[in-house]
């Protein structure tokens, strides 16, 4: 059954020996596992020209193996799966190369197209310009068109001929809907940015939860949890500085604010009754008043005793 969902794509060069009959069987196995076949070449031709010796009974396939899971080690996992499938089919096949296909999406800035037909030829009064500026920010003159790209690209996309013809026949401009258009902050691609944000949140949660465990402790336990708090704070600030390509200070400030918010929630400073997180809410702690379920054999043994 072919796979429908997957997380990673790995381009694998597989050398299959044995002639036309074995080549057809290998292609059927690739199709059965939902691995697209990008092409094939005689051994010694194509991408491995000059690397492998020419062999008329051998063929090199370019197979796109699709896998679930994290990106780390996906090349090894794809190679193992191909070898396992070929071995189960009793085919003489060799994985010559495995390369992950990284196709992370770039984070473009989003823009809203608005009409400039309301603007007068003259400059107008200062109050008029101020009111007009805020009306544009509030979306008073917005159209039903949204574009994405860099500032110059967004303006050209807004003035391009659309399917309805409305944008092409009306003077328009664009206004940003986010802060990605600023040149002083460089954003990572979408999935890489999500991974970095996830790491920062984990470190901030560690620092906040450690404060809860440190409260009410004495002696060595107090020093241990204080060390964990410092570790979580340092990890949060370090991961925050790596949140953007540029603008390390902005990322560090965001991490510091996140640590402060989670710490205030943990200590109950944001709750009107002053209730924060408790150690009983952590994993492995049984709620008060909750009865323990004993197996039937254990209950019988207790009754007999």
């Amino acid at each position: 059954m072919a796979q429908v969902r997957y997380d990673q794509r790995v381009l694998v060069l597989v050398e299959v020996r044995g002639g036309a009959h074995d080549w057809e069987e290998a292609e059927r196995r690739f199709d059965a596992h939902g691995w697209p076949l990008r092409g094939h070449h005689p051994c010694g031709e194509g991408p491995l020209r000059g690397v492998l010796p020419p062999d008329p009974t051998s063929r090199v396939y370019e197979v796109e193996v699709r896998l679930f899971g994290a990106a780390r080690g996906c090349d090894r996992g794809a190679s193992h799966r191909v070898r396992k499938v070929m071995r189960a089919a009793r085919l003489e096949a060799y994985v010559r190369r495995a390369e992950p296909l990284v196709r992370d999406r770039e984070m473009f800035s989003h823009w809203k197209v608005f009409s400039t037909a309301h603007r007068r030829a003259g400059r107008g009064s200062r109050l008029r310009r101020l009111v007009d500026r805020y009306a544009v920010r509030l979306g008073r003159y917005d159209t039903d068109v949204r574009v994405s790209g860099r500032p110059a690209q967004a303006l050209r996309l807004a003035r391009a001929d659309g399917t309805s013809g409305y944008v092409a026949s009306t003077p328009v401009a664009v206004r940003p809907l986010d802060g990605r258009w600023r040149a002083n902050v460089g954003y990572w691609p979408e999935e890489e940015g999500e991974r970095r944000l996830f790491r920062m949140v984990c470190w901030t949660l560690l620092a906040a939860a450690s404060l809860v465990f440190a409260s009410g402790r004495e002696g060595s336990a107090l020093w241990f949890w204080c060390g964990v708090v410092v570790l979580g704070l340092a990890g949060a600030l370090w991961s925050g500085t790596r949140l953007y390509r540029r603008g390390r200070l902005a990322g560090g400030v965001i991490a510091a604010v996140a640590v402060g918010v989670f710490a205030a929630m943990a200590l109950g400073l944001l709750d009107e009754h002053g209730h924060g997180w408790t150690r009983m809410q952590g994993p492995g702690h049984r709620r008060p008043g909750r009865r323990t379920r004993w197996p039937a054999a254990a209950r019988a043994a207790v009754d007999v005793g």
Side-chain angles (χ1 to χ4, degrees):
M1 182 178 179
Q3 294 182 2
V4 178
R5 297 181 55 189
Y6 53 91
D7 298 319
Q8 309 300 332
R9 301 161 58 202
V10 183
L11 181 61
V12 181
L13 300 183
V14 188
E15 179 189 358
V16 181
R17 299 177 181 176
H21 184 271
D22 288 355
W23 299 341
E24 293 177 0
E25 178 63 24
E27 293 175 7
R28 285 194 294 267
R29 296 285 177 161
F30 296 149
D31 183 69
H33 285 78
W35 298 338
L37 185 62
R38 292 193 167 195
H40 58 79
H41 310 274
C43 187
E45 301 292 335
L48 298 182
R49 178 190 297 271
V51 178
L52 298 179
D55 186 357
T57 64
S58 180
R59 178 182 287 182
V60 177
Y61 286 94
E62 299 181 27
V63 185
E64 182 182 310
V65 180
R66 297 176 174 180
L67 303 171
F68 291 98
R72 184 184 298 273
C74 63
D75 53 345
R76 183 173 63 254
S79 302
H80 175 70
R81 291 206 61 184
V82 172
R83 284 194 297 266
K84 185 177 179 181
V85 170
M86 294 294 98
R87 182 178 179 180
R90 295 298 186 266
L91 297 175
E92 185 182 2
Y94 305 93
V95 176
R96 294 296 190 174
R97 179 183 173 92
E99 177 184 2
L101 298 176
V102 181
R103 298 291 187 267
D104 204 350
R105 291 168 293 277
E106 186 176 352
M107 298 291 288
F108 287 120
S109 183
H110 295 277
W111 307 76
K112 190 67 175 179
V113 180
F114 67 92
S115 173
T116 58
H118 63 279
R119 293 179 179 175
R120 299 179 180 179
R123 294 176 57 87
S125 63
R126 184 175 181 180
L127 179 61
R128 173 69 182 180
R129 294 196 303 271
L130 183 62
V131 171
D132 181 70
R133 185 181 301 113
Y134 278 99
V136 169
R137 292 182 179 179
L138 294 175
R140 175 67 177 79
Y141 307 107
D142 285 352
T143 65
D144 295 331
V145 180
R146 181 192 295 255
V147 297
S148 63
R150 298 178 179 85
Q153 293 175 341
L155 188 58
R156 288 195 296 267
L157 288 170
R159 295 175 178 176
D161 294 334
T163 56
S164 62
Y166 174 76
V167 177
S169 60
T170 307
V172 295
V174 292
R175 64 181 182 89
L177 298 178
D178 49 52
R180 300 193 188 102
W181 59 275
R182 296 186 177 91
N184 59 340
V185 177
Y187 288 83
W188 296 100
E190 182 178 356
E191 295 181 2
E192 179 65 23
E194 291 176 354
R195 285 192 291 267
R196 292 173 180 267
L197 179 62
F198 177 76
R199 285 195 290 266
M200 188 197 74
V201 172
C202 288
W203 281 112
T204 55
L205 286 175
L206 175 64
S210 301
L211 282 175
V212 176
F213 283 94
S215 60
R217 301 283 184 172
E218 296 180 357
S220 59
L222 175 62
W223 287 107
F224 171 78
W225 286 112
C226 287
V228 177
V229 171
V230 174
L231 177 64
L233 179 60
L237 294 178
W238 175 79
S239 58
T241 57
R242 296 168 56 87
L243 199 58
Y244 305 109
R245 292 181 184 269
R246 297 181 298 274
R248 293 181 176 271
L249 180 60
V253 171
I254 292 176
V257 172
V259 170
V261 171
F262 281 119
M265 293 173 58
L267 298 178
L269 300 180
L270 301 181
D271 189 87
E272 58 179 346
H273 302 291
H275 299 316
W277 301 348
T278 63
R279 291 194 294 270
M280 298 299 295
Q281 294 175 342
H285 294 278
R286 187 167 57 90
R287 301 296 187 272
R290 182 178 177 182
R291 297 182 60 184
T292 303
R293 287 192 170 186
W294 293 84
R299 291 199 303 268
V302 173
D303 294 339
V304 172

